[in-house]
Amino acid sequence: MECHDALPLMHEYLDGDLEAEDSAALKRHLIACPSCNRMFKQMEQADAMVRMLPKSPVPAGLTARIMAQIPEPKRRTRWYAWVKSHPALSVASVFLLVMISSFLSLLNEDQDMVVKGANLDQVVIRGDTVIIPEGHTVQGDLMVKRGKIQVDGNVEGDLTVVDGSYNLASTAYISGHVNKVDETLEWIWYRMNEVFSAFAK
Ligand SMILES: [Zn+2]
């Protein structure tokens, strides 16, 4: 077994849905490969921590399903490549993030619009549209989920639109990046990438 085959099996093993045959093959690899062994121990710890969190039962097999749903093959390759190129880094923290983000996304299954930012008194919300009026400035990042955003004013930070659309007027000014994310899973992936790049600095 190669290391890149071992990782998905570790997730399945921890979720308790690995077949006996695969599980034996994984164990043989973990005995033979110190780096996978170390990674597996960290994942086990993370898994135990997640299970200890109060009132947050993680459905069996969820992680494997999330990983399976991350679009193939580019993203998955990037994910594995990242894990492989950062062996010393705590895989546990990434694993925890996947678990917690997927759990939070389940909690947010309702269809209401979500607006997040540090400086929301500068925005006007009309129906499903968030408006930054001309001459108004949002200090810091702004995120709109399941809605539209009309930017006539300024954003001193990043604008992120999840499952929605945006329109920038000619008077609009955004100092950071404009990110458009179309699915909740992509959103999780996007957040994971944010964390990855923060680690990589
Ligand atoms: Zn290995």
Side-chain angles (χ1 to χ4, degrees):
M1 183 184 294
E2 300 287 323
C3 296
H4 61 85
D5 297 322
L7 185 62
L9 293 184
M10 290 183 212
H11 284 282
E12 285 177 43
Y13 179 84
L14 290 171
D15 285 332
D17 40 34
L18 190 59
E19 312 277 353
E21 197 183 299
D22 286 339
S23 156
L26 175 64
K27 277 176 187 160
R28 279 198 301 277
H29 181 77
L30 292 180
I31 290 166
C33 175
S35 74
C36 283
N37 199 335
R38 198 165 54 236
M39 191 185 285
F40 181 69
K41 290 224 164 79
Q42 288 177 325
M43 283 166 64
E44 252 186 333
Q45 279 170 10
D47 191 45
M49 279 165 66
V50 168
R51 281 170 211 285
M52 274 161 44
L53 293 175
K55 292 184 198 163
S56 56
V58 177
L62 179 64
T63 312
R65 284 202 300 279
I66 296 279
M67 290 311 293
Q69 283 177 64
I70 289 174
E72 299 260 24
K74 200 168 129 217
R75 292 203 169 87
R76 194 173 258 215
T77 308
R78 272 162 67 195
W79 154 262
Y80 289 139
W82 185 86
V83 170
K84 280 176 81 176
S85 61
H86 297 76
L89 213 138
S90 175
V91 170
S93 57
V94 176
F95 189 61
L96 261 180
L97 184 77
V98 175
M99 300 288 270
I100 290 169
S101 326
S102 49
F103 178 62
L104 291 180
S105 76
L106 287 184
L107 285 186
N108 287 328
E109 279 307 323
D110 60 290
Q111 293 303 304
D112 293 341
M113 180 169 74
V114 178
V115 184
K116 277 185 190 150
N119 195 214
L120 293 182
D121 55 334
Q122 294 295 309
V123 308
V124 176
I125 297 176
R126 209 169 286 152
D128 65 347
T129 305
V130 178
I131 302 157
I132 304 175
E134 193 174 345
H136 286 236
T137 300
V138 173
Q139 297 289 343
D141 297 342
L142 183 66
M143 190 275 278
V144 177
K145 194 170 177 180
R146 287 185 294 267
K148 296 176 196 149
I149 178 151
Q150 171 67 37
V151 185
D152 298 327
N154 313 306
V155 178
E156 289 290 340
D158 293 344
L159 172 65
T160 302
V161 182
V162 184
D163 291 342
S165 61
Y166 66 90
N167 186 43
L168 308 182
S170 58
T171 51
Y173 168 76
I174 294 173
S175 72
H177 297 284
V178 178
N179 307 301
K180 193 169 178 302
V181 183
D182 280 322
E183 294 168 39
T184 305
L185 280 168
E186 275 196 34
W187 167 243
I188 294 171
W189 180 246
Y190 167 76
R191 292 299 302 273
M192 278 164 48
N193 268 340
E194 267 191 335
V195 172
F196 291 177
S197 50
F199 274 133
K201 273 174 194 161

